[in-house]
Amino acid sequence: MKTRQLTIDAMLCAMCAVLGYVALDLGSIKLTFESLPVLLGALLFGPVDGMFIGGIGTLLYQLVRYGVTATTLLWILPYVVCGLLVGAWARRKEFSLSRRETVILVVAAELVITVLNTVALYVDSKLFDYYFPGFILGALGLRLVICVVKAIAFGMLLPSLTEVLRRAFGAWFAQEKR
């Protein structure tokens, strides 16, 4: 990796960790924006960078907030998968997605995150003995609504944001994403 791209990835990892840490956490409902830097990195650079940002950023957040537990990797996995899926699709489309395509892609990625986080929550609650059906399923509808609303907002924002960053860094992005 080139130094500039690694530096941007590191900044996005840090943003992911901070945004995860300052989330509004209400038990089984968590309002967080930690996926935004993962999505941004994946849309700009592709699947490897997206996975890296999601994995390292969420790992840092998990370590600071909870330490290492038996389910740490389960909590990191959704953001790694998000970076992989979004980055792979962006690369497939040669990093040129319409606003509509971006919204659909981000909604799909956020739904994957929510489903995988629900699985992690279920496993964690069973393993650490705080499970009851209402905790997982009772809030699932609200979690999905939050997920879709947040994804639509991100999907509308990201095309403009990626375009501004591409212009700011000029031809360097075109060389780096290949």
Side-chain angles (χ1 to χ4, degrees):
M1 268 190 166
K2 296 196 176 178
T3 305
R4 287 184 283 185
Q5 186 172 347
L6 187 58
T7 302
I8 292 171
D9 284 352
M11 288 188 299
L12 291 171
C13 287
M15 285 175 57
C16 179
V18 169
L19 290 171
Y21 192 80
V22 298
L24 180 60
D25 200 349
L26 304 169
S28 65
I29 298 173
K30 180 180 173 188
L31 181 57
T32 178
F33 300 112
E34 71 189 287
S35 63
L36 185 60
V38 178
L39 294 164
L40 182 59
L43 288 170
L44 286 171
F45 301 120
V48 173
D49 293 81
M51 290 171 46
F52 175 78
I53 294 162
I56 300 299
T58 308
L59 173 65
L60 292 171
Y61 156 68
Q62 288 290 319
L63 292 175
V64 169
R65 185 97 184 240
Y66 304 107
V68 177
T69 69
T71 57
T72 298
L73 291 177
L74 284 178
W75 293 107
I76 296 169
L77 181 64
Y79 297 94
V80 172
V81 172
C82 171
L84 170 67
L85 294 176
V86 171
W89 188 259
R91 175 166 283 150
R92 184 172 187 263
K93 292 291 197 163
E94 297 180 355
F95 299 91
S96 181
L97 290 105
S98 69
R99 186 171 303 278
R100 183 174 185 265
E101 288 174 313
T102 304
V103 169
I104 292 168
L105 179 60
V106 171
V107 168
E110 288 288 340
L111 286 170
V112 167
I113 289 172
T114 300
V115 167
L116 291 175
N117 274 336
T118 301
V119 170
L121 184 61
Y122 174 78
V123 171
D124 195 78
S125 68
K126 285 294 213 174
L127 192 62
F128 294 107
D129 202 30
Y130 62 91
Y131 173 79
F132 68 94
F135 184 69
I136 306 295
L137 298 176
L140 186 57
L142 180 57
R143 292 176 70 219
L144 289 170
V145 168
I146 290 169
C147 161
V148 171
V149 169
K150 179 175 72 167
I152 291 170
F154 284 178
M156 296 300 287
L157 170 72
L158 282 165
S160 301
L161 188 55
T162 56
E163 184 59 35
V164 166
L165 289 174
R166 282 192 181 108
R167 271 189 273 135
F169 289 101
W172 178 75
F173 275 114
Q175 293 171 1
E176 290 296 321
K177 68 183 177 186
R178 292 175 194 202

